[in-house]
Amino acid sequence: MFGEFLSIIFRSIKLDKSLYKENKNFSEASIYFAGIIMILGGIAGAVAANTFIKTPIALSGLTQILNWFVWAILIYVIGVKIFPDKGTKVSFKKVLIGVGYANAPGLIRFFAVTPDLMIPIVIVSQFWILASLIISTKQILNLDSNIKSFGIIFLSFLIIIIVFVSFVFGRMDSLPIGAIS
């Protein structure tokens, strides 16, 4: 079981597209494997962030779980409901598992132990995750083109950024710095 889990992590890190086509990788244990990858990714993010500021590990893990669901919901709605291809018939659970697997490259954030390494490792791992998400989306949704897969991920990313920026700027008046202006 642990060997299967490690195999999934390494295949995701290698951007192996066959990972997302094999039904054995979407068995009952798969949702737990994907969840563990996401929680470990949150912990890795906390390790990286702790080179600058103290970040609670539990909060990072919970944030990563929320991030997992948001990405999966957006990919499912955009890719399956709004812009499906002819062969796109997939359950939300499979998309959720695929998004979890695609976040395995984020585990390299454990190596961001010094401030000099933190920014490059986080940037590289984020682009790596986006590439992995594009591959998983194309394979899981049976899309014909990489461009459409890129579009689904890019649109999901834009929605997340817009909501995040709106939330942050909406809260600026309640921050102590908001009283300065």
Side-chain angles (χ1 to χ4, degrees):
M1 179 86 55
F2 187 68
E4 183 181 346
F5 176 65
L6 289 178
S7 171
I8 288 169
I9 290 174
F10 289 123
R11 287 175 69 191
S12 175
I13 289 172
K14 291 189 313 186
L15 302 176
D16 181 2
K17 66 181 180 181
S18 67
L19 168 68
Y20 305 102
K21 283 293 187 186
E22 296 172 6
N23 284 334
K24 71 175 185 142
N25 294 325
F26 293 91
S27 63
E28 285 302 312
S30 302
I31 194 78
Y32 300 109
F33 289 164
I36 290 169
I37 290 170
M38 294 305 293
I39 291 169
L40 288 173
I43 294 169
V47 168
N50 277 332
T51 60
F52 284 114
I53 58 169
K54 294 297 177 201
T55 306
I57 290 177
L59 181 63
S60 293
L62 288 173
T63 303
Q64 190 69 355
I65 294 293
L66 177 66
N67 181 33
W68 179 28
F69 281 102
V70 168
W71 271 102
I73 289 167
L74 288 172
I75 290 170
Y76 184 78
V77 169
I78 295 168
V80 176
K81 298 299 181 186
I82 299 175
F83 301 115
D85 267 1
K86 289 176 262 182
T88 303
K89 289 181 178 65
V90 65
S91 68
F92 176 72
K93 181 180 176 184
K94 193 166 184 177
V95 173
L96 188 65
I97 292 168
V99 170
Y101 290 172
N103 274 274
L107 297 178
I108 66 165
R109 292 178 183 155
F110 276 116
F111 297 109
V113 292
T114 66
D116 294 337
L117 290 175
M118 202 267 313
I119 291 174
I121 286 178
V122 169
I123 290 171
V124 166
S125 68
Q126 194 58 46
F127 279 108
W128 202 344
I129 289 169
L130 290 172
S132 189
L133 280 169
I134 291 168
I135 291 168
S136 73
T137 300
K138 182 179 187 300
Q139 298 303 314
I140 290 172
L141 301 184
N142 295 317
L143 299 175
D144 294 331
S145 74
N146 288 330
I147 305 246
K148 187 166 189 177
S149 179
F150 173 80
I152 291 169
I153 298 303
F154 185 71
L155 189 55
S156 299
F157 182 72
L158 282 179
I159 292 169
I160 290 169
I161 293 297
I162 290 168
V163 169
F164 177 76
V165 168
S166 298
F167 178 77
V168 168
F169 283 124
R171 301 279 185 237
M172 289 300 268
D173 291 334
S174 63
L175 295 175
I177 199 166
I180 295 173
S181 55

